[in-house]
């Protein structure tokens, strides 16, 4: 035997946020310090899981809650999610329409497995969180990006969305607040998307994992704005409760039962074959939602300072233009037209050169959509300001030194 066969669907998987890490290995071997600004993991920086949540997890384990749970999730957690969605997002749902997953990531996979048949289209904002693209392709569907307009703070272009609906379209995805752009959608914008979905009888998949992490603008949940159009809301504990490594998320189904029932059952069946989400973590998740929520304000204040710092620094560096993120913890600058195609072939080459020269690891924008994300990069602004300062100093130096290099050498590299 020369080779064990691997499927095309597995070979073709791309996840730019982690794919770039491979390129750090040689640098690390040579003793290089890496500034990890590629993964949106608050718990890896100075945002720590609240103490009462950690205590709840230890207690759950000590009290021997180490068995399997019901596949759709523990009843007390599903109830806590119902209350949280009402309290925070003004969304009315019932516990039997909530499904608990090992993070939203698992929810995206299950949802796409239940919705997408070969040749189906899924509409998503360009750029978007890449698993929506990857899982659509995995199930042999076609990811179709609708434009979001950069110089209007990345607001969805509703005309483009409407133009891209076809008889093959199966769902419209919204990521609000958006990763990677940090856009927070207004009520008007969400209502327009709901109108398009209603017009064409499409469900909306609304990923709201950064719901409580917005700066000047208030977050509005899609499901709070409609009772008619079916909404599948996705949310989790990774970003607000800093439980990234614990892997806990949920989805809920809001809309007429007869329209959504089959889809929900399709997801529930998948839940059964993967048995259940982590039992002690579910108990801690319920404690997280039912416990004191005051810490969230502190997180937002800290993040806002870091957002302001990142925005200021990027505006001062020649070669970038950037919009101010309104939520989440990513900034998505454009590399100037004068640099792309001259100094660097594309955004991916920019990211790899930057890593090689400075040890700063960021993600190529094309990894979030090949059309609307290209020529951009995504930078995580989670680290404390002194660490951000080091990284931005290095980026600034890199941009300056690239400018000094003779054009011929730069073109030759492309
Ligand atoms: C929009 C969005 N959805 C989902 C996730 C992943 O969530 P989880 O940790 O719950 O799998 C991320 C992580 O960066 C994200 O940005």
């Amino acid at each position: 035997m020369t080779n064990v066969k691997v499927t095309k669907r597995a070979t073709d998987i791309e996840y730019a946020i982690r794919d770039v890490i491979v390129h750090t290995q040689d640098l690390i071997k040579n003793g290089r310090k890496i500034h990890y600004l590629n993964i949106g993991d608050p718990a890896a920086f100075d945002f720590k899981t609240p103490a009462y949540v950690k205590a709840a997890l230890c207690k759950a384990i000590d009290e021997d809650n180490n068995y399997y749970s019901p596949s759709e999730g523990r009843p007390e957690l599903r109830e806590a999610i119902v209350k949280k969605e009402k309290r925070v997002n003004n969304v009315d749902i019932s516990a039997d329409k909530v499904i608990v997953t090992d993070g939203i990531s698992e929810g995206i996979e299950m949802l796409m497995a239940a919705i997408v048949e070969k040749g189906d289209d899924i509409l998503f904002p360009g750029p978007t969180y890449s698993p929506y693209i990857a899982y659509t392709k995995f199930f042999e569907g076609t990811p179709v990006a609708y434009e979001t307009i950069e110089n209007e703070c990345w607001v969805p272009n509703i005309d483009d969305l409407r133009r891209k609906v076809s008889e093959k379209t199966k769902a419209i995805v919204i990521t609000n607040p958006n990763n990677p752009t940090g856009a927070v959608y207004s009520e008007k914008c969400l209502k327009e998307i709901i109108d398009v979905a209603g017009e064409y009888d499409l469900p909306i998949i609304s990923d709201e994992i950064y719901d409580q992490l917005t700066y000047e603008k208030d977050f509005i949940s899609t499901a709070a704005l409609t009772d008619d159009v079916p909404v599948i809301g996705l949310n989790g504990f990774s970003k607000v409760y800093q439980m990234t490594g614990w892997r806990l998320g949920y989805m809920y189904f809001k809309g007429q039962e007869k329209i959504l029932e089959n889809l929900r059952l399709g997801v529930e069946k998948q839940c059964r074959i993967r048995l259940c989400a982590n039992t002690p973590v579910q108990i801690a998740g319920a404690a997280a939602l039912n416990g004191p929520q005051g810490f969230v304000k502190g997180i937002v204040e800290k993040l806002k300072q870091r957002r302001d710092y990142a925005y200021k620094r990027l505006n001062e560096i020649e070669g970038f233009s950037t919009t101010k993120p309104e939520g989440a913890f990513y900034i998505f600058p454009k590399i100037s037209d004068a640099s792309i195609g001259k100094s660097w072939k594309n955004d991916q080459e920019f990211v790899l050169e930057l890593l090689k020269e400075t040890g700063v690891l960021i993600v190529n924008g094309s990894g979030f959509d090949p059309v609307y994300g290209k020529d951009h990069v995504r930078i995580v602004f989670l680290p404390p300001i002194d660490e951000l300062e080091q990284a931005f100093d290095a980026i600034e130096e890199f941009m300056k030194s690239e400018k000094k290099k003779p054009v011929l050498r730069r073109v030759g590299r492309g």
Side-chain angles (χ1 to χ4, degrees), residues 103-105 129 175 179 207 209-210 238-239 247-248 330:
I104 289 192
S105 310
Y129 181 52
T175 31
N179 172 6
D207 182 328
I209 196 164
Y210 304 98
S238 291
K239 314 292 177 171
R247 314 305 304 125
L248 190 65
Y330 312 99

Side-chain angles (χ1 to χ4, degrees), residues 100-310:
V100 176
T101 54
D102 278 331
I104 289 192
S105 310
E106 188 190 44
I108 299 173
E109 179 183 1
M110 289 178 174
L111 209 47
M112 292 310 178
I115 291 183
V116 179
E117 297 275 19
K118 188 173 182 172
D120 287 345
D121 285 359
I122 298 292
L123 283 167
F124 61 89
T128 195
Y129 181 52
S130 38
Y132 289 99
I133 306 174
Y135 277 121
T136 302
K137 286 185 185 163
F138 192 82
F139 295 110
E140 298 183 77
T142 309
V144 178
Y146 54 90
E147 183 190 17
T148 60
I149 307 166
E150 179 165 14
N151 59 15
E152 292 176 31
C153 287
W154 298 99
V155 63
N157 177 343
I158 303 299
D159 293 334
D160 193 52
L161 169 66
R162 184 174 273 109
R163 245 193 320 272
K164 284 174 176 163
V165 176
S166 75
E167 69 283 0
K168 290 192 279 178
T169 308
K170 290 294 170 303
I172 299 174
V173 173
I174 301 176
T175 31
N176 177 35
N178 182 274
N179 172 6
T181 65
V184 176
Y185 298 167
S186 67
E187 181 168 337
K188 176 173 171 288
C189 162
L190 290 168
K191 281 187 168 159
E192 285 173 344
I193 297 174
I194 290 169
D195 285 347
V196 175
E199 215 174 295
Y200 295 97
D201 269 341
L202 294 169
I204 296 178
I205 298 170
S206 191
D207 182 328
E208 306 182 349
I209 196 164
Y210 304 98
D211 57 356
Q212 299 185 67
L213 305 181
T214 64
Y215 307 113
E216 290 77 18
K217 257 184 168 174
D218 285 335
F219 166 78
I220 300 164
S221 174
T222 312
L225 297 178
T226 177
D227 289 324
D228 306 324
V229 171
V231 177
I232 301 120
L234 294 165
N235 214 318
F237 296 76
S238 291
K239 314 292 177 171
V240 176
Y241 296 91
Q242 349 267 290
M243 290 161 59
T244 40
W246 294 14
R247 314 305 304 125
L248 190 65
Y250 59 90
M251 79 178 83
Y252 60 77
F253 294 78
K254 180 167 182 246
Q256 293 173 46
E257 174 63 359
K258 63 178 191 319
I259 297 178
L260 279 170
E261 190 186 12
N262 284 342
L263 179 60
R264 185 168 47 76
L265 291 177
V267 173
E268 283 181 11
K269 285 189 174 180
Q270 295 176 70
C271 287
R272 286 175 212 157
I273 55 167
R274 67 76 159 110
L275 311 193
C276 68
N278 182 316
T279 300
V281 170
Q282 289 190 60
I283 295 172
L289 297 181
N290 292 334
Q293 304 293 305
F295 68 92
V296 179
K297 200 165 164 262
I299 295 174
V300 174
E301 275 162 18
K302 210 152 96 171
L303 281 174
K304 186 167 179 289
Q305 285 172 8
R306 295 174 193 191
R307 187 274 315 253
D308 290 344
Y309 180 77

Side-chain angles (χ1 to χ4, degrees), residues 34-50:
I34 307 294
H35 296 277
Y36 290 96
L37 303 186
N38 59 321
I39 297 186
D41 184 351
F45 298 97
D46 58 337
F47 298 89
K48 298 299 168 206
T49 320

Side-chain angles (χ1 to χ4, degrees), residues 318-372:
E318 208 183 315
F320 289 121
S321 60
T322 191
T323 54
K324 199 176 202 173
E326 301 164 318
F329 31 64
Y330 312 99
I331 192 158
F332 199 63
K334 184 175 192 307
I335 310 161
S336 77
D337 294 339
S339 303
I340 285 291
K342 293 196 185 78
S343 298
W344 305 280
K345 203 165 49 177
N346 51 36
D347 53 351
Q348 202 164 10
E349 188 178 273
F350 174 90
V351 164
L352 296 181
E353 282 281 306
L354 177 74
L355 173 67
K356 204 170 80 196
E357 299 291 327
T358 67
V360 175
L361 183 60
I362 58 177
V363 186
N364 52 301
S366 52
F368 300 90
D369 182 68
V371 176
Y372 301 113

